[in-house]
Structure formats: C-alpha cells, structure tokens
C-alpha cells in the first residue's frame, strides 16, 4: 500500500538545509577547504553507499573574505533515500520501493507555476562587463576534469519556440571564460529538441537560464525523464503541492524560481562556429568521459543572485561504495518512469520495478506475475520502444513475483537457475540509440556529432520460469521443481523451538 504524503513547500535552499539540520542530515564544514580538487574529493569520499550526509562548505580557500560575491558550496542533498523521502513529505525511513510508487504518481500529476513580480534572486543583478563567473567558488571537482564545472546541479531552463513550454534539465557546464560556459547536451534530450526547433527557425542562438540552488525538487526533477510536453516546474509543484513561484529573467524571456540562490542567463550558441572546447569530466558512469571537444556554449548576459548566495553543486559519477546524487535519484525516477511506460503499453502483471543506485538507470529490474508465454519480451519491447529509454535501460532483467528485486542475491539466484541462453532467455536488440558516455561502446560509435546519439546493443535477461516448458506432472503440474525451503507450518514449528535450542533467526542480506 502506498504511504500518504505530507507535502512540504520548503521555500528555498536555506529552508531545505534547515530541515536537514533538524534531522541530523547536514554537516557544516567550517575548516578551510580548497575548491581545487580537495572539495570534490571530500564530497566523493563522504557520500558512501547512500549513507553520507549533505555537506555545506562554509570556508572555501580564496573565497572566504567578507567581500566575496559567493562564499559557500552545498552538495549531497539528495544522495540518500532518507533525504529523498523528506523531500517528498514522507518519513525518512520510507523504503525505496514506496518512493518509486510515489514518484509514479508525481509524474502523473502537475501543479502549474505562478508568475510573481520579484523575489530574493533579484537582490543582486550583474550585467555587461561586470559579469565574472570566476567570482563563484566553482570547484575543480576532479583532477582529470577539463576545467572548473559551475553547472553540475543547476536547473537549465529552455523553451520550445512554438509551444512556449519550458523544460528544466540538468546539463553539465564548464567555465571557459568570465562569461562563457560550454555545456554537454544530447540531441535526444529535451534541450536538444529545443535546439533543433530554434535552428529550424533560423536562429543562431537559443535563450537559456540556469537556476542554481533552490528546493530539492529542482535537481530531482531536472535530472529526471519527465515526459516531453510536460514542464518540470509542474512536477515540482506536484511534489510540494503548491505552485512554484517564478520570476522573469532580466535578459531572456524565461522564468526561474524567485527564491533561487543564483541564476545565470544568456544565449546558447547553436551554430557550430561558436562552439568552445569542453570536457572531459568525471561522469555518471564512474569513468572520466565525454572527451574534450567543441560544444554549444552559453554567452552569459546576466547573473542575478541573493545576498550571500550558496552555490549548489554535486559530485557526479557513481562507483561501488560511493553513490552520487544522480544515481540515487535516478534509481527512483527511472524505475518510476519505466513502470509508467509499461502500464501505458498495457503490459500486465507488473509487481515491482527497480534500478539499483550504483549505475543511474542502466540496468532495469522488473518483477512480474506471468500469465502467458513471452510476457518478459513484451515488457522489454515496450521499454526500449519508449523515448524514456534514451541513455537508460541498456540491460533489462525480468524475474517472477517470488523474487525481491531490491535483493541483489535474489536476482542473482534467479539469473543462475532460471536463465537458459539456448531457450531464448537472452535476447539482444542490436544497434539502438544509447548513451554517448558509456565506455563499453566503441569510441567511434559514441560520437553523437556523427550519429545524433550513442550506440547500444541492448539485452533482455529473461530470468522468469520459462512458460514454454511443458507443465511437469512430477511437480504437480508446475514447470519447475519445488524449492528446498520448508513448508510454512514446518518453518513456524522450527522457529518456535529456536530459543530453546539456543538459536537466533538469521537476518537477511
Ligand atoms: C547531476 C546530473 C548531471 C547530468 N549531466 C548531463 C549532461 O551533462 N548532459 C546531458 O545531456 N544530460 C545530463 N544529465 C541527465 C539529464 O539531466 C536527464 O537525462 C534529464 O532527464 C534531461 O532532461 P530532459 O528529460 O528534460 O531532457 C545529468 C543529470 C544529472 C542528475
């Protein structure tokens, strides 16, 4: 049963940090920390497997003077399921399985934003020659990065020139000069759809704004595959159960949260002659990826910010033992999106859907109650045929409803004993669209400039019991033999004697 939410409209990043402090989820670092490699290294080491705290760096080398434009960096706000639950207005201990179900509902709803005249983000307005991106304590996150990445968790706002519908996505951006930021964006992302539309209209530039530091739903929704035509601001409204208050930008016709910490406005050059060098960067795959190459570049026309603004950033790239915010949020949102895709396609019997947090939605797990042969293949076809499968769902494993897909051992056991490659349980869908950053794809085939997307050979692992087998009279008409696990009444009788025998029930996992 889905738990009832008590939605919270935090108001801004500061109130979210206050809530985190109250729950013991925030560590404030007062010791001086260097923006150059040290800050990023600390953030990566501190995050753990979804167990680390959110971090606020209050004393950054070179930016700790009273006249610094920006002195603080906040990150890790959503690198744990406890904090995602808090964002959604749920008890912190809510199981990720429930978070997926709630996320499905959030994606289905929407509360339109409200336009207001002004807000704290207009406390400081910088234009023209006064613009200097180096005034922000942008970390050099990793030693092998190509530069200082200012845009790691900002909501990048663009709009479709015909419908006027805005999109908010997260796209990485590196400082190239005082007022230029090349970014990485793929054609198949919604920002890419907008670029195509502006190009077709004959424009060499596209208006763009980046909101940095607001309520947690900004990063959560920006990094999620919210369906095309639906504005992420509506989904944020649905999370907080209140419209997001937006103000108009100073130099572009776009809208940003009125209480954002920092907003960068400008125009994205979409003519290749204006591209600047960007990359590489420590990427979501856990590899340093996204080779150094010319990329579409933002020409910054204004920066607005609150007094004493806080720079919101994140350390990207998940590895075993160190899960990024992207990976933890993706495990919820990409599972929820896939489940909605399966429902809309009419695939029956879906019990649970999950993306483990170590890989940001690359491996998708589905548990289903089969009622006919070929149901797992129907599920994989539905997922891979959806636009949500861009950069996601390379490998799909389908198991029966007796397997808990939140238990790695259970899934592994099902793969060991219910998969027979000679019986069509492994299906390869070759040469589909895919992630341009996945190093298991040859470098040539990752060239999005040549092919518009990466290249993935996708795999279905059908680890369900094969309904193509004959029912076996020896097994009472079942297709597989009985499990070694004792019958329930024998289990209860044995457990009843455990204390007498000096035994304890083993814990699972
Ligand atoms: C921390 C973080 C960094 C990301 N960086 C990029 C990026 O540099 N380029 C990109 O195309 N997508 C990036 N993504 C993924 C997109 O934000 C994500 O696919 C999102 O759904 C895109 O928005 P859209 O659905 O509106 O296209 C990133 C996501 C996160 C959470």
């Amino acid at each position: 049963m889905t738990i009832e939410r008590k939605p919270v409209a935090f108001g801004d990043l500061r109130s979210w940090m206050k809530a985190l402090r109250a729950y013991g989820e925030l560590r404030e670092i007062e010791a001086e920390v260097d923006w150059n490699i040290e800050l990023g290294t600390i953030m990566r080491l501190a995050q753990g497997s979804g167990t680390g705290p959110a971090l606020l760096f209050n004393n950054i080398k070179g930016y700790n003077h009273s006249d610094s434009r920006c002195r603080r960096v906040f990150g890790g706000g959503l690198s744990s399921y406890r904090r995602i639950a808090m964002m959604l207005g749920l008890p912190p201990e809510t199981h990720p399985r429930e978070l997926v179900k709630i996320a499905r509902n959030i994606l289905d709803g929407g509360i339109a934003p409200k336009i207001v005249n002004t807000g704290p983000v207009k406390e400081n307005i910088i234009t023209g020659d006064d613009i200097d991106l180096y005034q922000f304590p942008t970390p050099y996150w990793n030693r092998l990065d190509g530069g200082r990445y200012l845009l790691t968790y900002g909501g990048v706002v663009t709009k479709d020139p015909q419908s006027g519908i805005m999109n908010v996505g997260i796209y990485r951006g590196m400082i190239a000069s005082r007022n230029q930021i090349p970014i990485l964006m793929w054609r198949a992302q919604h920002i890419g759809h907008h670029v195509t539309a502006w190009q077709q209209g004959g424009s060499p530039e596209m208006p763009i704004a980046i909101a940095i530091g607001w309520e947690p739903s900004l990063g959560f929704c920006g990094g999620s595959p919210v369906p095309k035509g639906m504005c992420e601001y509506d989904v944020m409204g649905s999370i907080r159960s209140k419209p997001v208050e937006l103000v108009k930008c100073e130099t572009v016709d776009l809208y940003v949260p009125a209480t954002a910490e920092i907003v960068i406005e400008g125009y994205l050059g979409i003519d290749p002659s204006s591209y600047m060098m960007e990359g590489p960067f420590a990427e979501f795959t856990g590899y340093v990826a996204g080779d150094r190459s010319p990329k579409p570049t933002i020409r910054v026309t204004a920066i607005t910010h609150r007094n004493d603004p806080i720079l919101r950033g994140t350390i990207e790239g998940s590895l075993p033992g160190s899960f990024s915010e992207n990976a933890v949020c993706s495990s919820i949102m990409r599972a929820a999106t896939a489940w909605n895709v399966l429902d809309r396609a009419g695939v029956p019997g879906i019990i649970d859907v999950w993306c483990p947090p170590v890989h940001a939605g690359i491996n998708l797990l589905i548990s289903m109650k089969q009622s006919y042969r070929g149901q797992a293949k129907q599920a994989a076809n539905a997922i891979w045929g959806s636009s949500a499968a861009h950069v996601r769902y390379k490998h799909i494993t389908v198991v029966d409803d007796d397997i808990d897909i939140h238990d790695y051992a259970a899934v592994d056991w099902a793969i060991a004993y219910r998969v027979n490659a000679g019986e069509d349980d492994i299906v390869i869908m070759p040469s589909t669209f895919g992630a341009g950053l996945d190093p298991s794809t040859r470098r040539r085939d990752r060239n999005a400039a040549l092919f518009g997307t990466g290249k993935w050979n996708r795999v279905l692992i059908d680890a369900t019991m094969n309904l193509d087998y004959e029912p076996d009279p020896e097994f009472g008409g079942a297709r597989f033999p009985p499990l070694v696990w004792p019958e329930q009444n024998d289990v209860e009788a044995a457990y009843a004697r455990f204390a007498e025998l000096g035994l304890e029930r083993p814990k699972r996992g």
Side-chain angles (χ1 to χ4, degrees):
M1 202 185 74
T2 303
I3 304 165
E4 204 186 322
R5 294 201 305 128
K6 293 197 177 77
V8 193
F10 293 97
D12 56 11
L13 176 65
R14 297 163 194 216
S15 302
W16 166 235
M17 286 184 349
K18 208 167 147 193
L20 293 177
R21 212 174 272 127
Y23 275 81
E25 293 284 331
L26 177 69
R27 298 287 177 284
E28 295 195 49
I29 297 174
E30 305 301 340
E32 188 182 77
V33 171
D34 199 333
W35 54 266
N36 193 10
I37 313 293
E38 190 179 34
L39 191 152
T41 308
I42 291 171
M43 215 185 265
R44 188 178 300 288
L45 295 179
Q47 64 193 359
S49 305
T51 49
L55 299 177
L56 176 64
F57 293 88
N58 280 324
N59 183 355
I60 298 168
K61 192 174 173 186
Y63 293 87
N64 38 14
H65 309 292
S66 54
D67 58 349
S68 297
R69 184 172 294 288
C70 179
R71 302 179 299 134
R72 297 179 286 170
V73 171
F74 172 77
L78 288 175
S79 57
S80 88
Y81 294 122
R82 289 176 61 79
R83 299 196 283 277
I84 292 179
M86 284 174 66
M87 171 191 71
L88 294 170
L90 295 162
E93 59 281 3
T94 305
H95 194 279
R97 179 179 288 118
E98 295 302 323
L99 300 181
V100 171
K101 290 181 190 161
I102 302 269
R104 292 188 65 196
N105 295 338
I106 285 161
L107 278 171
D108 270 351
I111 297 181
K114 188 172 139 195
I115 309 295
V116 296
N117 286 334
T118 190
V121 71
K122 302 290 188 186
E123 281 166 356
N124 301 272
I125 299 174
I126 313 157
T127 54
D129 288 345
D130 292 335
I131 293 170
D132 182 3
L133 296 170
Y134 294 105
Q135 290 179 331
F136 293 89
T138 305
Y140 208 114
W141 296 94
N142 311 275
R143 207 167 278 285
L144 296 179
D145 289 350
R148 294 172 75 175
Y149 275 78
L150 176 59
L151 309 187
T152 54
Y153 217 52
V156 179
V157 186
T158 55
K159 79 171 173 187
D160 182 282
Q162 269 90 46
S163 68
I165 295 176
M166 284 186 282
N167 186 72
V168 187
I170 296 184
Y171 308 102
R172 76 182 200 203
M174 186 185 105
I175 300 180
S177 77
R178 284 166 68 103
N179 65 347
Q180 286 170 306
I181 311 173
I183 64 166
L184 173 73
M185 60 104 208
W186 309 105
R187 280 286 164 169
Q189 306 279 59
H190 293 154
I191 189 174
H193 297 196
H194 288 179
V195 165
T196 305
W198 284 86
Q199 270 173 340
Q200 282 166 354
S203 177
E205 291 192 316
M206 174 175 83
I208 194 163
I210 303 97
I212 301 174
W214 189 65
E215 290 186 21
S217 60
L218 176 69
F220 189 73
C221 295
S224 298
V226 170
K228 191 177 178 199
M230 184 173 200
C231 179
E232 281 78 359
Y233 284 137
D234 295 25
V235 184
M236 292 174 219
S238 168
I239 288 179
R240 66 205 300 270
S241 204
K242 223 174 158 190
V244 179
E245 296 198 343
L246 300 178
V247 285
K248 193 169 178 192
C249 288
E250 297 297 304
T251 54
V252 288
D253 187 18
L254 293 168
Y255 291 82
V256 287
T259 52
E261 294 292 325
I262 302 163
V263 168
I264 295 170
E265 309 178 5
Y267 289 86
L268 183 71
I270 50 184
D271 183 322
S273 66
S274 66
Y275 286 7
M276 294 183 83
M277 293 302 271
E278 189 265 4
F281 185 55
E283 264 300 343
F284 74 93
T285 56
Y287 287 96
V288 177
D291 313 320
R292 192 164 182 80
S293 60
K295 307 263 175 30
T297 298
I298 301 170
R299 174 173 66 83
V300 179
T301 49
I303 299 174
T304 67
H305 68 82
R306 297 177 68 149
N307 292 335
D308 199 13
I310 302 165
L311 177 61
R312 174 65 159 107
T314 197
I315 187 86
E316 180 59 302
S318 231
L319 286 170
S322 175
F323 298 169
S324 68
E325 288 185 80
N326 185 3
V328 175
C329 294
S330 289
S331 66
I332 303 295
M333 286 307 264
R334 293 175 183 193
T337 304
W339 200 335
N340 284 355
V341 167
L342 290 168
D343 253 18
R344 286 194 192 108
V347 182
I350 304 300
I351 304 294
D352 206 356
V353 179
W354 182 233
C355 296
V358 71
H359 51 62
I362 304 302
N363 297 340
L364 178 71
L365 306 177
I366 300 171
S367 153
M368 65 159 50
K369 193 164 188 58
Q370 297 187 90
S371 47
Y372 51 85
R373 186 173 60 183
Q375 220 165 311
K377 295 183 177 72
Q378 185 188 1
N381 281 327
I383 296 285
W384 291 338
S386 153
S387 67
H390 181 247
V391 307
R392 304 165 187 112
Y393 318 136
K394 180 167 72 161
H395 304 132
I396 299 179
T397 302
V398 184
V399 296
D400 292 296
D401 61 324
D402 61 333
I403 300 296
D404 179 0
I405 53 178
H406 290 266
D407 179 350
Y408 274 105
V411 175
D412 207 24
W413 178 84
I415 291 174
Y417 298 116
R418 293 181 185 175
V419 172
N420 181 340
E423 297 281 354
D424 297 333
D425 285 340
I426 305 283
V427 181
I428 298 175
M429 167 71 83
S431 304
T432 71
F433 64 173
L437 294 172
D438 178 351
S440 71
T441 301
R442 288 171 194 269
R443 184 185 278 258
R444 171 191 178 274
D445 290 331
R446 273 186 270 142
N447 188 337
L450 258 187
F451 305 112
T453 175
K455 177 167 145 187
W456 266 352
N457 301 304
R458 296 177 187 251
V459 180
L460 163 67
I461 301 168
D462 182 352
T464 59
M465 286 186 266
N466 196 337
L467 296 193
D468 201 39
Y469 288 9
E470 305 297 328
D472 194 328
E474 202 183 313
F475 307 143
R479 285 158 166 99
F480 272 59
L483 296 174
V484 296
W485 195 249
E487 284 180 18
Q488 195 54 28
N489 52 345
D490 294 332
V491 168
E492 276 158 28
Y495 275 147
R497 294 201 60 199
F498 258 38
E500 172 203 339
L501 302 175
L503 297 172
E504 279 175 24
R505 283 181 185 222
K507 284 202 182 75
R508 192 120 182 229

